[in-house]
Amino acid sequence: MKRLLWHCLILIALVTVPGCSATRPVAVSREALGTVVSVTAYGPDTAAVRDAIDRAYDAMAEVEAQLDSHDPASAISAFNADPYEPTVPPDDVLTVLDEIAEAGVADEFSPALLAVTGLYGFEEGGRVPDAGSLATALAASRGFGCTGDGMMAFARLSDPDARLEPGGPLAPGLDLGGAAKGLALDRAREALKASGAVTAALISTTSSTVMLGAKPDGSPWRVGVEDPRDLDSVVAVFTFSGDGALSTSGDYQRFFEADGKRYHHILDPATGLPARGVRSLTVAGSSLSGLRADILSTALFVKGAEGAVEYAEQHGIALYAVDAEGRAHLVPAPGGSGLSVAEQATPLP
Ligand code: AMP
Ligand code: MG
């Protein structure tokens, strides 16, 4: 009888110890996707949760190996090495292109701005491109399209400018830097879900976040939006009761100043110039994928505050934007979506 009691006690211990750890998450932060990615995951078996998190980072690395156009060994760089040769693009590129079309933002989100972005030299301190080079790179970027049989390529310009040759500074190329993080976070979330070990999780980079399931204590996931002119202050907070995605695009994330003007990394595909009118724009939705959220934050930034608000209202997407004058624009989430957004403070003027 005593022995049975001991067995029962041990059994209870085995059941309750993992039960306790289900309310304490495993939190891991690692360098990935050219930034730091944090994963907070809940599950009854801590070792299995850790294992699942490793798989999630593997999944993100796979997306990076496809879509990082700054890595010469990536699949997208292989495509870019010979941009005029009709080729079937890597699978993840096709996934992103389909999503841009489905979101209806092809005028604002261009997958083909590699040479245009490169002219600004954001990685090397920044420079204002001369108007001629900008026009040439922009014209070349517009030549991207299908050539038949699932193949794609850039059309050669009739202008025989040596700088447009493969490897040249104005040679066109694909750059999915405005979407790759979102897709990578989706794949990481899928890996956590597929493990069967994770009941709830939040995966975040500085600009994008995805949530899986509800926290075991029932409290919502909270994601703050920083003031684009005071990165230590939070100006809005999004709360999610379960699944969801959020993405922020900002003119403060990569920029330089010249002649008293801020040149930042989100370019208007119509002009090749930094999109003006918005400082920061966040979209969120409980049924949005990370990929859709990432594409939309970039595209709606280009649309400008008014167009962005209109799009968000029409598509049932929550939005918080700070315009060029420091005014906040808020579109609440649809009722019953499990998502809410509240202003926390007034952004700096
Ligand atoms: P995000 O921070 O997600 O808004 O993405 C910004 C990055 O996307 C830039 O660093 C560029 O690599 C790329 N990009 C800039 N402008 C655009 C645009 N209009 N459409 C698509 N990608 C862009
Ligand atoms: Mg984006």
Side-chain angles (χ1 to χ4, degrees), residues 115-331:
V116 184
T117 306
L119 279 176
Y120 287 89
F122 289 109
E123 313 300 333
E124 303 106 45
R127 55 183 174 264
V128 181
D130 68 86
S133 300
L134 191 58
T136 306
L138 199 54
S141 80
R142 295 202 179 115
F144 178 67
C146 296
T147 59
D149 291 339
M151 311 246 240
M152 295 186 178
F154 286 86
R156 252 180 211 284
L157 294 184
S158 49
D159 178 358
D161 188 328
R163 297 172 304 169
L164 286 162
E165 288 309 307
L170 304 187
L174 298 175
D175 168 19
L176 298 183
K181 282 196 193 83
L183 179 62
L185 295 193
D186 284 339
R187 296 280 165 76
R189 175 165 60 176
E190 281 161 24
L192 294 181
K193 204 170 174 180
S195 74
V198 173
T199 55
L202 177 140
I203 314 166
S204 66
T205 69
T206 43
S207 57
S208 293
T209 304
V210 297
M211 273 80 27
L212 167 69
K215 278 204 263 179
D217 68 1
S219 66
W221 303 107
R222 290 167 60 82
V223 185
V225 176
E226 56 205 351
D227 186 328
R229 294 294 177 268
D230 175 14
L231 302 187
D232 292 330
S233 300
V234 167
V235 284
V237 174
F238 285 80
T239 57
F240 297 77
S241 63
D243 282 7
L246 169 146
S247 178
T248 299
S249 289
D251 72 355
Y252 57 93
Q253 291 170 345
R254 202 186 292 165
F255 73 97
F256 62 90
E257 277 169 345
D259 312 324
K261 261 185 163 167
R262 176 179 293 237
Y263 289 83
H264 64 82
H265 68 145
I266 303 167
L267 306 179
D268 184 342
T271 61
L273 297 169
R276 302 287 176 205
V278 175
R279 292 178 183 171
S280 129
L281 186 142
T282 301
V283 293
S286 49
S287 54
L288 271 187
S289 65
L291 173 59
R292 179 66 69 96
D294 198 354
I295 288 173
L296 283 183
S297 70
T298 308
L300 299 191
F301 189 108
V302 173
K303 263 190 198 288
E306 229 170 81
V309 164
E310 199 179 310
Y311 183 100
E313 283 173 348
Q314 278 171 2
H315 292 79
I317 289 164
L319 174 139
Y320 180 88
V322 179
D323 69 20
E325 281 74 45
R327 288 181 305 234
H329 301 256
L330 193 153
V331 177

Side-chain angles (χ1 to χ4, degrees), residues 90-130:
D91 283 352
D92 285 350
V93 169
L94 295 174
T95 301
V96 175
L97 296 181
D98 286 347
E99 195 75 17
I100 297 165
E102 240 177 74
V105 291
D107 287 344
E108 294 84 13
F109 192 103
S110 166
L113 292 176
L114 185 71
V116 184
T117 306
L119 279 176
Y120 287 89
F122 289 109
E123 313 300 333
E124 303 106 45
R127 55 183 174 264
V128 181
D130 68 86

